[in-house]
Amino acid sequence: MGSTGGASGRLVAARGSAAPSLAAVAAAALLLALAGIARPALGQCTPPTGDTGFAEINVNVTAGTFDKVLPFDVPVRLCGQVPLTPPPANPGGPPPSPPPTLTVQFAEAKNALNVDPKCHILSPAGARWMPGQPIPARIDGTTFRVILPRLQAQRFYAFCFRTQVPVQPAAAAAFQAKAREALDQTLRQVPASDITAAESAAMRRALRQKLIEATGADEVLAPDTLFDPAPTPGRDELMQGGRLNELVREVLNPQIQARSILSGRPAAPGLLATPSYAELQFRLKGSLEAIRGSAALGRLASLFDQQAEADPNLKKLVDTDLAVPLSLPRRSADEVSRMALGQDPAQPGMPPLDEIADAAQATAAAAQYDAATDALDRLAALCRQVLAGGDFAAVKAGLSEADVAELRSLAAPGGPIALAKSGAFRLAGLARNVQRSLAERSAALDALAREARIEAEQVNVADGSSTGNFDTFQSYYVSADAGIVYAPQVDTGVTYVGANIYLRPVNRDAALSQLGSFRQTFTRRFALTLGLTVQSVADGSAGSPQTRDNLFGNQALLAGAGLRITDTIRLGAGALIFKEKDRNPLIGRFRVASTYYFTLSFDLNVAKAFKGGLGGLFGPTS
């Protein structure tokens, strides 16, 4: 895994066993030269002719660079080369791989963003990838194009490009095993099948997150599967049917059935209580302890051992047919406990059967309970045979009357041996039922895991900025203003020129009507205005006395504010500043005075006008 030029991906190199011949090198060079001649027709970001309605930007995904400053407030279309393509199919081999997919997200901040090669934002705090659902690109050959939302002015940007292609079969098979384990762990936590909508959504997120954790360094979940992050709006397949609902319930139903077998059922109206699997195991342990702790059974086993030493035929019988029943009173407390749990008493450390067991473990537990049932049955038969005398009269003769009575009690119907045998038999049946349920769950889990697929992914990071020209490097924007000013108190209307000072950057190529409502575009409409009248506002001509004069030579000053009502037409108001003669007839001085005004003007782009010198100030502004 490595990263170069803002890219993170898997690079694989093939190594031959011998050096290529000179002829082979020449042929390869010729092919590459021919390919280089033919390739520009494929995968080129050809500049469009005419106005497309988009700000056309080229991006070098591998290098992580853009060919120009990012524009703001206008729709942007990115064009670049797809950095990862699937290998070509071999003739006669599997069908060609589906084309790659590429998605884009971006993050913005007022200061430079720090993003690692895997698209993890390191700083600044609070920066996040937008939009939440990555934007899919349109791919044509090796070229992709993607339309971005309008960007903000004076921002640093980082772009995350994710390219995905199908993986090789070996990698897919390895993921299937990990996916099955991940799904298994998640669904084990579900207590019942009647889940709420919130629980369903949480389960879907948990399933997807577990699958994401199971992917490799260069792998991601394939899109358009049952585990996509967002289902169809207004429809949750886990709650309202659908393929995912079906597959998940096929796992949950036998899982819940096995869990109910193991947990039992409390008493309820019309229903009898059923003991839990653990309670039945506890009862069986008590019966087995009563058998192991029987002094009469212990002496019976000792008498068989003593007489077997002098009787070869009896010894053979003790070592074969009687070995199993006679082993029960000789078991240790730990061995009896393991027998009650359905484990092999001779192999400590085996896990007990519970709700996280698998079908093989349940099968083994059922077999152990079957063996215990058989041993108990044979022990009861041996006790009855000894008490009857016959072949074992010599053994019976060594027993006291108390021993005989205790053996009769142990082997009687309803006695400890019968209770233990009944308990082991019942537990064997439950273990087999659990085995069937777990086998069904395992098969359903396999089917669910097959629905999870992965793709190889390459991640590339590109950095850009919307700060870098006259329009955006300051926190304000200046436009030229020219129009008509009318001041009611002086009862005159003249033309004026001036400047509008916006308190934020403004892109005049962005139509106000596309940026939102009047409230949303207010800061792009409002500006402070400073200007000078083109004509004089002085009076006193034709012999009438002068009461008003210009502030500067033949011009008065305008100071106010205005709002663009269209992209170019502005309405404004403010103060018209001029000189006025003192009202005292004895004083002939003029003092500074003001009155309110209204304007109708045209808002012009100063930055574009000054590119061609002052002569372009009132030129075209498109």
Side-chain angles (χ1 to χ4, degrees):
M1 181 71 190
S3 61
T4 303
S8 175
R10 177 173 296 164
L11 304 178
V12 181
R15 180 174 296 173
S17 59
S21 66
L22 182 61
V25 171
L30 178 60
L31 289 175
L32 288 174
L34 293 175
I37 295 173
R39 186 177 177 85
L42 181 64
Q44 287 278 339
C45 288
T46 306
T49 57
D51 188 357
T52 63
F54 294 98
E56 304 286 348
I57 306 292
N58 291 344
V59 58
N60 186 326
V61 174
T62 304
T65 58
F66 295 91
D67 67 339
K68 62 185 69 174
V69 174
L70 298 176
F72 64 95
D73 282 353
V74 292
V76 176
R77 181 162 60 187
L78 294 183
C79 180
Q81 305 298 305
V82 179
L84 185 64
T85 57
N90 295 325
S97 299
T101 61
L102 187 145
T103 60
V104 182
Q105 286 180 298
F106 62 91
E108 66 179 28
K110 293 184 178 180
N111 297 308
L113 288 141
N114 185 10
V115 181
D116 71 11
K118 293 296 290 182
C119 282
H120 299 134
I121 300 177
L122 305 179
S123 63
R128 60 186 178 85
W129 293 116
M130 301 180 292
Q133 184 71 18
I135 306 170
R138 294 187 297 275
I139 296 178
D140 180 16
T142 60
T143 300
F144 76 87
R145 286 180 172 83
V146 61
I147 297 175
L148 300 178
R150 300 171 191 270
L151 305 179
Q152 299 293 318
Q154 292 185 303
R155 294 294 189 272
F156 290 91
Y157 282 91
F159 289 79
C160 178
F161 297 88
R162 296 182 183 273
T163 311
Q164 296 170 217
V165 298
V167 297
Q168 298 297 324
F175 170 73
Q176 285 294 310
K178 293 190 290 185
R180 189 188 188 283
E181 180 181 357
L183 295 170
D184 183 17
Q185 293 173 353
T186 303
L187 293 177
R188 282 187 191 280
Q189 311 304 318
V190 181
S193 59
D194 52 340
I195 58 178
T196 65
E199 290 170 335
S200 171
M203 186 193 306
R204 185 187 191 93
R205 288 194 299 270
L207 289 173
R208 178 173 172 80
Q209 184 58 39
K210 281 289 186 180
L211 291 175
I212 290 174
E213 292 171 2
T215 59
D218 300 314
E219 298 164 353
V220 294
L221 291 182
D224 301 323
T225 68
L226 297 180
F227 301 100
D228 279 349
T232 304
R235 177 179 178 83
D236 186 342
E237 287 191 340
L238 282 176
M239 289 294 295
Q240 303 173 5
R243 177 69 174 157
L244 182 58
N245 173 282
E246 176 186 349
L247 291 173
V248 169
R249 289 190 181 276
E250 285 179 358
V251 176
L252 292 181
N253 288 338
Q255 170 181 302
I256 293 167
Q257 183 179 6
R259 186 173 295 164
S260 66
I261 293 172
L262 295 169
S263 62
R265 182 182 62 212
L271 294 174
L272 295 175
T274 57
S276 68
Y277 192 78
E279 183 179 351
L280 292 174
Q281 289 175 323
F282 181 76
R283 293 180 187 177
L284 175 59
K285 180 182 178 183
S287 299
L288 292 175
E289 284 287 358
I291 295 169
R292 186 186 74 88
S294 170
L297 276 179
R299 277 187 287 274
L300 178 65
S302 296
L303 286 171
F304 270 107
D305 289 341
Q306 293 170 8
Q307 295 187 20
E309 292 179 1
D311 187 346
N313 291 326
L314 181 59
K315 180 172 177 54
K316 182 178 180 180
L317 186 63
V318 168
D319 291 342
T320 55
D321 292 355
L322 300 183
V324 172
L326 289 177
S327 67
L328 291 174
R330 296 169 176 160
R331 294 289 187 189
S332 67
D334 286 343
E335 289 176 329
V336 166
S337 180
R338 287 195 289 272
M339 288 180 65
L341 292 174
Q343 302 171 355
D344 186 343
Q347 296 184 19
M350 293 182 62
L353 177 64
D354 55 23
E355 63 184 38
I356 64 170
D358 58 21
Q361 189 177 334
T363 300
Q368 289 298 324
Y369 286 127
D370 286 339
T373 301
D374 178 68
L376 291 164
D377 188 52
R378 293 165 68 179
L379 178 61
L382 178 61
C383 289
R384 289 192 294 269
Q385 193 174 1
V386 169
L387 293 176
D391 294 337
F392 300 124
V395 175
K396 181 180 180 183
L399 298 172
S400 66
E401 292 184 4
D403 291 336
V404 171
E406 185 177 345
L407 289 176
R408 184 174 287 109
S409 176
L410 284 171
I417 295 179
L419 289 177
K421 176 184 173 182
S422 174
F425 179 81
R426 185 173 184 181
L427 284 166
L430 293 178
R432 274 187 283 273
N433 290 339
V434 170
Q435 182 273 330
R436 283 191 289 270
S437 295
L438 294 180
E440 292 177 10
R441 180 184 184 275
S442 179
L445 198 59
D446 290 339
L448 180 61
R450 285 193 293 271
E451 295 293 330
R453 299 187 301 278
I454 55 172
E455 291 184 345
E457 178 181 83
Q458 178 167 309
V459 180
N460 299 82
V461 179
D463 301 309
S465 169
S466 58
T467 301
N469 56 37
F470 185 87
D471 288 339
T472 64
F473 78 91
Q474 297 290 347
S475 60
Y476 54 85
Y477 169 78
V478 180
S479 68
D481 198 26
I484 300 172
V485 56
Y486 175 70
Q489 289 187 2
V490 298
D491 192 26
T492 185
V494 295
T495 59
Y496 78 97
V497 294
N500 293 315
I501 304 172
Y502 293 83
L503 303 181
R504 57 151 292 158
V506 174
N507 188 338
R508 295 303 304 276
D509 291 332
L512 289 172
S513 60
Q514 294 182 349
L515 296 176
S517 64
F518 183 88
R519 181 180 62 83
Q520 292 171 320
T521 60
F522 180 81
T523 58
R524 296 176 175 88
R525 296 174 182 269
F526 175 80
L528 303 176
T529 302
L530 286 176
L532 294 172
T533 60
V534 176
Q535 291 85 29
S536 171
V537 297
D539 61 359
S541 60
S544 61
Q546 184 178 16
T547 62
R548 184 176 65 247
D549 198 1
N550 298 297
L551 183 64
F552 307 110
N554 291 322
Q555 295 175 310
L557 176 67
L558 283 78
L563 284 174
R564 280 195 292 161
I565 58 174
T566 70
D567 290 331
T568 56
I569 299 177
R570 168 181 299 278
L571 294 178
L576 177 67
I577 304 172
F578 55 94
K579 291 180 180 179
E580 183 180 49
K581 189 174 182 180
D582 197 292
R583 296 181 183 276
N584 188 341
L586 299 177
I587 301 175
R589 261 184 338 196
F590 283 80
R591 60 183 178 83
V592 176
S594 65
T595 184
Y596 65 93
Y597 72 79
F598 301 101
T599 60
L600 174 65
S601 62
F602 296 91
D603 205 358
L604 308 174
N605 191 327
V606 167
K608 288 189 176 181
F610 273 95
K611 287 178 183 178
L614 292 176
L617 181 60
F618 300 105
T621 61
S622 58

